[in-house]
């Protein structure tokens, strides 16, 4: 609200809460909101993976609440039965055994994890320890090499949607990956790609002649089909984007594109 009051552009690479851009006309994002990613993940898991009994676990904060709500709404529309919805508090510790026991009683065939990758890896390990035979899925918040490193075999087969995948064969993606690896000695993360695109969008607005806060805002809003590494970016009337998300699955300890 302070940025909006003073006419200062705020462009977020990662704020996915649907209400973020509703704060004002100077507030932008270049990542799909949970109002987009939730339904996309539901399509992937219910329609394509044919999962019909869904259990949901989510971190009880603003992001976790809205993320699971959008997923659950679409999953139900697609005919899935949501057999459990279990929140956990960030400060309650990392023993998920009580939640896992309750979920196990409902016999789901899919478990949605509305959490970050550190909690996701720990939760998956405890699911495996409890011998709960269930597929796992989640949003791009789980997407990190650390998820695989921390989760090990417990995250094998996990399905997720992401805004960036370094294995994408598009020339702009491969050029970015090559440059990033040369500089940092590792593959770029989704966050690195989002920030890279956000910076280039601002540069593009400047190249188009922005000279002050107002013209920078107007030039950003007018951008259409900018060829970023996270996909083509066009800001809609709410300064949001609707990009095609990549579908990944963890196989043999690696993220690979999902193929039907």
């Amino acid at each position: 609200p302070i940025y909006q009051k003073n006419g200062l552009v705020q462009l977020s690479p990662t704020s996915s809460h649907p209400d973020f851009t509703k704060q004002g006309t100077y507030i932008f994002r270049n990542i799909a909101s949970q109002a987009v990613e939730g339904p996309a993940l539901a399509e992937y898991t219910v329609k394509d993976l044919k999962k019909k009994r869904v259990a949901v676990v989510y971190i009880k904060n603003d992001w976790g609440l809205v993320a699971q709500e959008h997923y659950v709404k679409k999953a139900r529309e697609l005919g899935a039965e949501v057999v459990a919805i279990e929140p956990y508090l960030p400060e309650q510790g990392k023993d998920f055994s009580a939640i896992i026991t309750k979920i196990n009683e409902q016999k789901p065939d899919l478990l949605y994890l509305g959490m970050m990758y550190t909690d996701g890896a720990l939760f998956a390990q405890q699911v495996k320890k409890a011998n709960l035979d269930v597929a796992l899925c989640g949003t791009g918040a789980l997407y990190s090499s650390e998820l695989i490193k921390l989760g090990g075999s417990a995250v094998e087969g996990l399905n997720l949607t992401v805004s960036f995948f370094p294995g994408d064969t598009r020339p702009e993606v491969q050029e970015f990956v090559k440059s990033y690896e040369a500089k940092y000695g590792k593959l770029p993360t989704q966050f690195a790609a989002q920030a890279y695109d956000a910076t280039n969008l601002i540069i593009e607005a400047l190249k188009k002649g922005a000279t002050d806060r107002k013209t920078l805002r107007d030039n950003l809003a007018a951008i259409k089909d900018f060829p970023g590494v996270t996909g083509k970016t066009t800001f809609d009337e709410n300064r949001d984007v609707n990009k095609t998300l990549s579908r990944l699955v963890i196989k043999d300890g690696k993220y690979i594109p999902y193929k039907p």
Side-chain angles (χ1 to χ4, degrees), residues 62-117:
D62 285 347
W63 175 85
L65 183 63
V66 77
Q68 65 87 15
E69 282 178 347
H70 283 284
Y71 175 81
V72 166
K73 182 175 183 291
K74 186 64 176 180
R76 283 175 170 156
E77 288 176 4
L78 293 170
E81 180 184 1
V82 181
V83 297
I85 300 178
E86 297 290 338
Y88 71 94
L89 295 170
E91 65 273 14
Q92 76 180 43
K94 302 307 177 190
D95 181 1
F96 297 109
S97 56
I99 291 176
I100 292 170
T101 298
K102 287 176 71 175
I103 287 172
N104 196 14
E105 293 171 354
Q106 302 304 317
K107 305 301 179 188
D109 56 12
L110 178 74
L111 181 53
Y112 167 96
L113 306 182
M115 55 189 72
M116 303 295 122
Y117 61 83

Side-chain angles (χ1 to χ4, degrees), residues 116-185:
M116 303 295 122
Y117 61 83
T118 47
D119 286 0
L122 187 59
F123 195 94
Q125 286 181 330
Q126 293 180 32
V127 165
K128 184 178 181 181
K129 187 176 180 181
N131 294 315
L132 178 53
D133 183 20
V134 62
L136 303 177
C137 77
T139 72
L142 292 174
Y143 183 43
S144 169
S145 59
E146 290 297 308
L147 177 74
I148 296 175
K149 188 182 298 183
L150 296 170
S153 61
V155 297
E156 188 73 12
L158 183 144
N159 305 97
L160 67 167
T161 45
V162 298
S163 66
F164 171 78
F165 177 54
D168 191 321
T169 56
R170 286 182 297 132
E172 56 266 34
V173 173
Q174 288 310 302
E175 183 179 337
F176 168 62
V177 170
K178 184 179 178 181
S179 298
Y180 192 96
E181 277 193 296
K183 186 171 181 65
Y184 299 108

